[in-house]
């Protein structure tokens, strides 16, 4: 029985991956490193700690891990609050959130983004009232594709894994959901098709394909 839905944020609630790609490419250039698109896509869904630790080790960066993470996060947060911010909601997601909420489903956002960014997005798009829990990857030891963040979110909601559905758009996120013992809906939000989400229980292209009744199976 469906009791809770846990939403990833980037690529699920907001169309933010092009922005992340643009800002991080600027950072790579500043650091004097060349990160391929494939390598960048491999980090989608993972925490900034996971990404920057891998890049620091691979490219022998002089900056500390803390400096790299802080610079990356500050750059994104500043952009998020600027007039140049082009981030928008994924089409149909707010209607799905409202439908689930009105049917008594507990809702959480579980994102690898830092908590201040999650709060800022929820407030910016006026969806904070629908969510009972906001969970960041900073709360758990292991990043997606490990299941820690979804297990933590379910515990905060007081719902067992078998009664949770996760909505994800990344390979790492879908793997994490399945490892957590939860059903997973994968949404194809990447036009380049760089993310393999085929292991999800249900794969959709648009949120209008699902509603409370369809998910409560």
């Amino acid at each position: 029985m469906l009791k809770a839905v846990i939403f990833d944020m980037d690529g699920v609630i907001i169309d933010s991956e092009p922005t992340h790609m643009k800002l991080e490419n600027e950072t790579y250039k500043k650091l004097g490193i060349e990160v391929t698109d494939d390598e960048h896509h491999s980090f989608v869904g993972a925490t900034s700690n996971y990404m920057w630790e891998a890049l620091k080790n691979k490219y022998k960066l002089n900056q500390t891990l803390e400096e790299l993470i802080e610079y990356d996060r500050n750059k994104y947060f500043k952009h998020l609050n600027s007039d140049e911010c082009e981030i928008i909601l994924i089409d149909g997601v707010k209607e799905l959130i409202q439908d689930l909420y009105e049917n008594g489903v507990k809702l959480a956002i579980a994102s690898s983004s830092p908590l201040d960014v999650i709060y800022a997005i929820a407030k910016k798009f006026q969806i904070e009232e629908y969510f009972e829990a906001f969970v960041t990857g900073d709360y758990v030891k292991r990043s997606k594709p490990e299941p820690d963040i979804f297990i933590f979110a379910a515990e905060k909601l007081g719902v067992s894994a078998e009664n949770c559905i996760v909505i994800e758009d990344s390979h790492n996120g879908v793997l994490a959901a399945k490892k957590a013992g939860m059903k997973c809906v994968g949404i194809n939000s990447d036009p380049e098709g760089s993310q393999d989400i085929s292991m999800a229980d249900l794969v959709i292209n648009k949120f209008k394909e699902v509603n409370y009744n369809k998910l409560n199976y």
Side-chain angles (χ1 to χ4, degrees), residues 128-146:
E128 69 268 36
E129 66 184 282
Y130 302 111
F131 289 93
E132 191 169 319
F134 297 95
V135 178
T136 167
D138 294 340
Y139 285 168
V140 294
K141 185 175 181 180
R142 299 181 300 173
S143 172
K144 302 173 190 176
E146 299 306 320

Side-chain angles (χ1 to χ4, degrees), residues 16-30:
S16 57
E17 191 51 36
T19 297
H20 278 296
M21 187 76 128
K22 173 179 172 288
L23 296 177
E24 283 164 6
N25 278 334
E26 290 174 2
T27 301
Y28 301 152
K29 187 174 180 180
K30 184 180 176 70

Side-chain angles (χ1 to χ4, degrees), residues 196-211:
D196 176 13
I197 57 172
S198 60
M199 71 291 292
D201 297 280
L202 174 66
V203 176
I204 61 174
N205 294 309
K206 301 285 184 183
F207 276 117
K208 66 181 180 181
E209 297 172 35
V210 291
N211 54 29

Side-chain angles (χ1 to χ4, degrees), residues 55-175:
L55 293 176
K56 176 176 169 59
N57 291 337
K58 179 175 180 178
Y59 295 101
K60 305 293 189 283
L61 297 172
N62 294 323
Q63 295 82 357
T64 66
L65 182 57
E66 291 74 20
E67 287 171 340
L68 292 166
I69 293 169
E70 184 177 9
Y71 179 84
D72 183 45
R73 290 183 169 187
N74 287 343
K75 185 179 179 72
Y76 180 67
F77 194 72
K78 184 177 179 181
H79 180 81
L80 188 62
N81 291 285
S82 73
D83 293 335
E84 291 79 40
C85 183
E86 67 278 22
I87 292 172
I88 58 173
L89 282 177
I90 298 288
D91 188 42
V93 71
K94 190 167 186 177
E95 290 78 6
L96 178 60
I97 290 167
Q98 290 169 329
D99 181 36
L100 293 168
Y101 179 82
E102 288 165 3
N103 279 283
V105 178
K106 292 186 173 186
L107 303 177
I109 294 177
S111 169
S112 296
S113 294
L115 194 60
D116 58 351
V117 170
I118 298 172
Y119 279 135
I121 291 294
K123 187 173 182 180
K124 182 181 181 74
F125 294 108
Q126 300 178 329
I127 56 174
E128 69 268 36
E129 66 184 282
Y130 302 111
F131 289 93
E132 191 169 319
F134 297 95
V135 178
T136 167
D138 294 340
Y139 285 168
V140 294
K141 185 175 181 180
R142 299 181 300 173
S143 172
K144 302 173 190 176
E146 299 306 320
D148 302 33
I149 190 169
F150 295 131
I151 292 170
F152 187 91
E155 288 173 352
K156 286 208 59 163
L157 293 175
V159 177
S160 59
E162 60 266 26
N163 294 320
C164 292
I165 289 178
V166 172
I167 303 182
E168 264 286 357
D169 72 310
S170 73
H171 179 72
N172 288 331
V174 173
L175 278 178

